[in-house]
Structure formats: C-alpha cells, structure tokens
Amino acid sequence: MKTTFYAVALGAVLLLTASTAPVQAEDRDCTVDLKSMCAGISPGEGHIRACIQAHMSELSVGCSSRLAKAAWVFSECKGDIQQFCPQATYGNIGDCMRPHLGETSDQCRGAMAFIASPAGD
C-alpha cells in the first residue's frame, strides 16, 4: 500500500510541479531508474506503477528522495486533488489541477511552492 502511495504521489507531483520547477537531479535519477528497471514495460493499466513497486528497494538515492518529497506533497494536496479533480487519473492530475492552483488550500500551495523552490532540492 505504501509503495502504491509513493508511485501515485510521484506522478502527481511531477505533473503538478512541471510547469514551475526546473528539471531536478532527482527527476533525472528517476528517469534513469525507470529506463533501466522498467525498460520494455508499456504504460497503462498500472504497469509502470507495478514495475516501480517491484523495484522500490533498488531505486537510486536521488529517486528515492524525489519519491519521499512527492509523497509529502501528495499528502498535503490529497484533499485538493479530491475536491477539484475527483475523476482525474494518474496521467492527467497535473492538467486538471493547474487551473485550480490559485484555489488550492494554503497547505497544498505551500507544499508545491516549497518543492519548486531551491530549498526543496
């Protein structure tokens, strides 16, 4: 259950912060990890998430760090995602939430701002 939370959180945070934060080292680490551990896995129906779950203990420190940050932001924004985008799926959370960023809770907005700032690195 915890690994599912991290996988979903990673997708949500990467999508939510993509327009405001430069590509960070942890993002590159996760891309490298996914390419090496999940090569040949076709997206959809939870295949990538299952692959991440199967390789959680093998992830690089940078990717693990990004997942921890993502889990924290997801926990801070979960209510906002449920309020504004209850029908959103893993692939479209960011697209759904972007127009609502000004309406999100202070807690969620603060978490996203922290992750997008140099302090969140």
Side-chain angles (χ1 to χ4, degrees), residues 18-119:
S19 62
T20 58
V23 175
Q24 298 178 3
E26 293 96 344
D27 295 342
R28 287 189 296 275
D29 290 343
C30 285
T31 299
V32 169
D33 288 355
L34 287 175
K35 283 184 179 180
S36 68
M37 294 175 201
C38 301
I41 304 291
S42 31
E45 299 179 11
H47 295 134
I48 300 296
R49 183 177 58 234
C51 180
I52 292 169
Q53 290 172 344
H55 295 284
M56 279 301 251
S57 65
E58 302 166 51
L59 295 174
S60 65
V61 172
C63 186
S64 294
S65 171
R66 184 63 171 166
L67 283 172
K69 291 174 189 176
W72 173 69
V73 173
F74 183 76
S75 70
E76 298 294 296
C77 296
K78 185 177 178 181
D80 294 292
I81 293 169
Q82 289 174 340
Q83 177 183 352
F84 296 114
C85 302
Q87 304 302 317
T89 61
Y90 173 80
N92 67 7
I93 291 171
D95 291 339
C96 179
M97 285 296 291
R98 269 187 207 97
H100 301 287
L101 292 179
E103 303 169 71
T104 60
S105 66
D106 290 342
Q107 174 180 321
C108 180
R109 208 171 16 259
M112 289 188 293
F114 177 77
I115 290 298
S117 76

